[in-house]
Amino acid sequence: MHGFKLFDRFKSTQVHALSPQDNNSGSRGKLSKSKFTNSGSGAQALLPYGLPTTELLEPPIDSYLKPIDYVESLADIHRRLNNCSQTDKSLLCIEQYSILRGLGDPKLLRRCLCAARQYAIDVHSKAVLSAWLRFERREDEFSGVSSKDCSGYILECPMAALVSGYDPKSIYDHCQCGQDGLEASSSQILVGNESLSLEEGGDVSFCVGDESVRCVRFKIASLSGPFKAMLYGSFLESRRDKIDFSKTGISVEGMRAVEVYSRTTRVDLFCPAIVLELLSFANRFCCEELKCVCDAHLASLVCGIEDALILINHALEERANLLVASCLQVFLRELPNSLYNHKVRRVFCIPEARERLSMLGHASFFLYYFLSQVAMEENMALSTTVMLLEGLEEFATEKWQKAFALHQLGCVMLERKEYKGAQFYFEAAVDAGHVYSLAGVARTKYKQGQQYSAFRLMNSLIFEYKPAGWMYQERSLYGVGREKIMDLNTATELDPTLSFPYKFRAVMKVEEKHIREAIHEIDKIIGFKLSPDCLELRACFFIALEDYESALRDVRALLTLKPKYMMFHGKVSGDHLVELLSHRVQQWSLADCWMQLYERWSSVDDIGSLAVIHQMLVNDPAKSLLWFRQSLLLLRLNCQKAAMRCLRLARNHSSSVHERLVYEGWLLYDTGHREEALSRAEKSISIQRSFEAFFLKAYTLADTNLDPESSSTVIQLLEEALRCPSDGLRKGQALNNLGSIYVDCGKLDQAADCYMNALNIKHTRAHQGLARVYHIKNQRKAAFDEMTKLIEKAHCSASAYEKRSEYCDREKAKADLNKATLLDPLRTYPYRYRAAVLMDDQKEAEALEELTKAIAFKPELQMIHLRAAFHESMGDRTSALQDCEAALCLDPNHSDTLDLYNRTQDQATRSI
């Protein structure tokens, strides 16, 4: 039986149990009956392509910018943002976005895009960035929403994007779409009632064929300089009352429209074909005002892909800037679906079309960055992706842009198995200053049989630069025996978030017939970083052990993250494997599912809970409540994109208006529109009082520094929520939140009652709140014991160990925090605590090292700020300033860092 290759792909990393040589596409999506029936044991039937082998495992080459020193890069961006001109700010925000992509924080990335849109000046940039922001929220997945629908804010408004000019303060204001629509309809009626016939006083006729159009000479002359010269200058036409316009290319209807426009300065009385004729006429006779009016009017008419495809060629031919922008905007706001339209692809991919766009200022790095990112998320290997990246390279003007475009081209060529081309692009990216692309060069050499050359290249990189986890991970591919394992262990030590070393060690244990140890190894990363590839790998291990219930749980959880996931190197759909596994486990009724969900939710088994909800949704896919629950779990697991997708599905499947308003409120809250979220909650409550509406309103109000009056309001709202029908899972959360507000208000007895009531309905996390109450009452032993109960009950206990450390002596605290780091190295408090203890013990170098090793793989605001404070206390102002600048790049309004930065700058100035 063949081995299989594990591929980590951009966007949706997958593990596939399939030999690369197996090209049998006939069985794609399902396991054939012949393989199923001839395969001996049940495990073999479900693993027709065998278990993975270490020989064919590979980590991905990340397709984004990866600086050697994140802090230095972030600090540099912050300095340049503070010192650049307003015209350069938007592009710098996109550079910031590119660097921050490696951190994987959607909120940070959205903030960068918002800032880029805020400082955009020209129509093209505004249109692209508004569409990009819309895409990030995936509004294309909303039922009943068109590409031209407006969110209500200037930030993403398609009409506001077509207004040139710089007004950064207005970006978060409400747009005027609603009012403009009313004004437009009333003025349309007004103009429509006007007489279109010429008033008395016409003194010149323009003849088109056998017909003539009577006009007012001075009104026509006022349209442009050429007309003024023709009608009042030394030309023969100035002395004639009839002028032949038959050879000008305009129709009689068009000339009548010119006459009407000369009197009314309006074109919205005419059909689009006539307005297009007027646009051509305006270009021919240099009628700039008429051209602008036609351009703006036609731009407002573009409502869908078909409109845009018809009008864009006219727009490019007539150099109608707004109309081109409006057509492009529709294409972009329909992404990713529009990329599957071959006519749309021609607009962006054909070199001649790119040149036409460029001549009008509508081909830019912004545009091709957005397009290529969407294309890579859809399918890296398509020729469309290559052509869009070639456009990205063509319009790259700065060094980092060139490096980024070339590196991405290298990644795509690697995916397409065009190794020589990939090597060329990676080497060019290195020449442009992107050191990480050397990993791509090494990989392509390895693919071409130059293993030793690849090893030497990575070896020299490790010696030349400060070592990072990805360097050792890459070198491990080209080493053998003990050296390979040592490199993988060093990679994990330097960067415990890299999944490949865990996968390799797990598969190695499988090859040694130690499958349970393999599961233990892969559990380490699944415990803090959930990904489809690791879940698939663990599911394979469980199948090999014939533990079909655990395997089914993992595949269901995997499909929650990636619904169309294909198993075994794209050969078997995840849904089909679920179907096969379901026949080997006990079937659950709906009541069983609710009991299982309650049990798993109570034991803080988030993956198990996801699997149960997935099963319930298979039986009832239109149940919005279940989609909502799934989104809550995914947010808890830090899978924000998947969570937002589930929340959109909850909104789409809503059976009532009041329910839909709640889910829209959560979507608005999660994208920073707090006031709109509150408004949705209030509208929902006005229609029907419900638990979720009151809870949304309370949660949104509580997300501020609450004063006593606000706290009282939140308490009332949560109490109202608890009076409404709901299940124990949600009521437990509400009681927990209510207890937290009571603690903040100093009402400890009421808080304790809330937590006890929550625990009575098995809301296990309430142990943490109750421990806090005991701690405030100076009952540290009781607080410690309460957290111990949580640790014993919870499947995911890293946060519980972290919290328990606050309620014990230094040595026990240290042990708990070390355990928390072992379970979840992404939690930053343990590093900060250990560093602070070392600093108190005057072990300054060790304190800095504790923070530095964590910042290397997670450059997080609080850790960078603390290190800046350490540097300042040690008199190293240069390092303190750099850390402050990096922290402010992550959050420019962080008050503690701003104070430290200003203080350090003052000290540096005084010392000069």
Side-chain angles (χ1 to χ4, degrees), residues 664-717:
E664 287 179 356
W666 282 115
L667 284 162
L668 286 161
Y669 174 82
D670 284 320
T671 51
H673 298 302
R674 182 174 168 275
E675 294 301 323
E676 286 298 304
L678 275 174
S679 175
R680 291 291 200 283
E682 288 163 356
K683 285 180 185 176
S684 181
I685 291 167
S686 69
I687 296 170
Q688 182 171 321
R689 296 162 63 85
S690 69
F691 174 91
E692 293 299 348
F694 280 116
F695 189 88
L696 169 61
K697 186 174 180 181
Y699 194 93
T700 307
L701 282 174
D703 189 24
T704 55
N705 293 322
L706 291 176
D707 55 39
E709 184 179 346
S710 300
S711 296
S712 176
T713 302
V714 172
I715 288 169
Q716 290 173 16
L717 289 167

Side-chain angles (χ1 to χ4, degrees), residues 109-147:
L109 297 181
R110 182 169 177 82
R111 199 196 72 210
C112 293
L113 288 178
C114 288
R117 169 65 182 89
Q118 179 179 6
Y119 295 111
I121 296 173
D122 60 282
V123 165
H124 171 76
S125 298
K126 290 180 178 183
V128 172
L129 292 165
S130 293
W132 199 338
L133 282 162
R134 181 182 188 273
F135 176 79
E136 289 295 320
R137 293 196 296 113
R138 296 310 301 255
E139 278 210 6
D140 59 292
E141 295 180 4
F142 282 160
S143 298
V145 175
S146 77
S147 62

